[in-house]
Amino acid sequence: MTSSMVLAIRFSALLNALPGNIAQGLIWGIMAIGVYMTFRILDFADLTVDGSLATGGCVCVMLIRAGLSPVLAVLAAFLVGMLCGGITGFLHTGLGIPGILASILTQIGLYSINLNILGQSNQPVAASKYKLLASLAYVNTTNTAVKVIFFAGLALAVFLLILLTYWFFGTEIGHAIRATGSNEQMAKAQGINTNAIKVLTLMISNAFVAMSGALIAQFQGAADVNMARGSIVIGLAAVIIGEVIFGKFCAKRKAAFAFTLGAVVIGAIIYFIVYAIVIWLKLPSEDMKLFSAIIVAIFLAIPHLKEKYGRKGAKANG
């Protein structure tokens, strides 16, 4: 077999893997929207994500195994995610613990809670036994109709969530969240209860994260206590990639915020496509977290480097 034939086979393997990575990107995009709420809008470093995503997955899987509808199981995960965010919010606003430490404490506590929910380190949930909302089996199936329905339904669900989020941040409460994130002291002067706003935003953000975790657990066919480890890096990567690549495009649109939310989801899809390419290149799988960190660092540095060297270029031309 020639080297060109081997390369063709390997490239076809990459193409075959892409639909699964795109599906993952859409599901993780829901989580990335939650991260965007705290990281960009509220200006709050929330690490609860590394716990609440797994909590959503654990709750969802155990409820499905107990006979509950997957739809209701996802809604239950959404509510549990709100509770997780509320705990972080209370630790921060009620007990005066710095935000990043409050979120770390919640994250640590959730590991034990997740272990107790599962009863062991992981629990399976097979698409062959349960009517799941998301599954890799729907991507790998030879039934084209099932595959199309799955991708169309997933894309529609993400689109509706973007519209709902866009609508919410256009309400009075949404404007209060933006004001709190932009200038907390000014928001207080305008009569906004910034502590309540912080708690509410953390609850909504982690609700999105936990809902994403519920779909991720279904998609991968199991919930695991370690499934959320490093998820904040993926969320930040999606946000940063979306902003760097589509920032100027989004800013020029009338509904700029809605386009930004869409860019965040596309950022998650791009991240998982890059992930697929890394695997295709046969790079060590144990180094994936390192590659993720490098990707985030690169995209975080791009705006700064563009501004820095843009100024130098302007001075040189002047």
Side-chain angles (χ1 to χ4, degrees):
M1 187 179 291
T2 64
S3 59
S4 60
M5 292 176 64
V6 172
L7 183 61
I9 293 172
R10 288 185 61 196
F11 187 70
S12 64
L14 173 63
L15 292 178
N16 290 334
L18 285 182
N21 291 99
I22 292 171
Q24 277 188 289
L26 285 168
I27 296 172
W28 280 87
I30 299 171
M31 179 270 246
I33 292 174
V35 171
Y36 181 82
M37 291 180 192
T38 51
F39 179 61
R40 281 296 190 224
I41 300 175
L42 190 62
D43 193 25
F44 187 101
D46 182 28
L47 300 183
T48 312
V49 172
D50 274 9
S52 59
L53 185 136
T55 303
C58 295
V59 168
C60 179
V61 165
M62 294 309 292
L63 287 176
I64 291 174
R65 287 173 62 88
L68 194 67
S69 160
V71 175
L72 294 178
V74 170
L75 291 176
F78 184 90
L79 295 175
V80 169
M82 291 188 74
L83 179 61
C84 295
I87 292 171
T88 297
F90 171 73
L91 291 174
H92 175 55
T93 62
L95 302 181
I97 300 173
I100 192 167
L101 292 179
S103 62
I104 290 173
L105 288 173
T106 305
Q107 175 201 132
I108 293 171
L110 285 175
Y111 182 87
S112 295
I113 291 173
N114 295 339
L115 194 56
N116 279 282
I117 291 172
L118 292 179
Q120 57 190 50
S121 61
N122 59 74
Q123 289 282 5
V125 57
S128 58
K129 187 176 181 181
Y130 305 98
K131 294 182 179 179
L132 304 179
L133 296 177
S135 173
L136 185 59
Y138 302 156
V139 177
N140 295 332
T141 181
T142 55
N143 190 325
T144 306
V146 171
K147 190 177 296 187
V148 170
I149 291 171
F150 169 65
F151 274 101
L154 183 57
L156 178 61
V158 173
F159 178 71
L160 291 176
L161 281 174
I162 290 173
L163 288 184
L164 181 63
T165 306
Y166 175 71
W167 168 82
F168 174 76
F169 277 95
T171 64
E172 186 176 343
I173 295 176
H175 284 296
I177 294 172
R178 292 188 183 194
T180 300
S182 298
N183 191 325
E184 184 176 350
Q185 296 305 317
M186 183 62 73
K188 285 181 179 179
Q190 296 297 320
I192 297 173
N193 186 338
T194 55
N195 282 343
I197 288 297
K198 287 180 181 179
V199 174
L200 177 63
T201 310
L202 286 165
M203 290 175 70
I204 296 172
S205 169
N206 282 280
F208 273 60
V209 170
M211 180 167 60
S212 175
L215 293 173
I216 291 167
Q218 291 183 52
F219 185 81
Q220 65 186 21
D224 190 284
V225 290
N226 294 312
M227 64 181 285
R229 183 172 294 176
S231 58
I232 186 62
V233 175
I234 298 175
L236 290 174
V239 172
I240 301 303
I241 291 171
E243 288 181 339
V244 169
I245 296 178
F246 303 103
K248 289 185 178 180
F249 171 83
C250 295
K252 295 177 181 179
R253 306 294 160 180
K254 288 184 178 180
F257 182 63
F259 279 98
T260 300
L261 294 174
V264 167
V265 175
I266 295 173
I269 294 173
I270 292 173
Y271 173 87
F272 278 96
I273 290 175
V274 172
Y275 188 96
I277 293 171
V278 168
I279 294 176
W280 178 67
L281 292 173
K282 303 295 184 181
L283 296 176
S285 58
E286 60 268 20
D287 293 337
M288 282 309 303
K289 297 299 182 185
L290 175 61
F291 296 139
S292 299
I294 292 172
I295 291 169
V296 174
I298 290 171
F299 278 95
L300 278 170
I302 286 174
H304 170 73
L305 294 175
K306 285 174 67 177
E307 183 180 356
K308 179 180 177 181
Y309 289 105
R311 286 177 181 176
K312 287 185 177 180
K315 286 181 180 179
N317 294 329

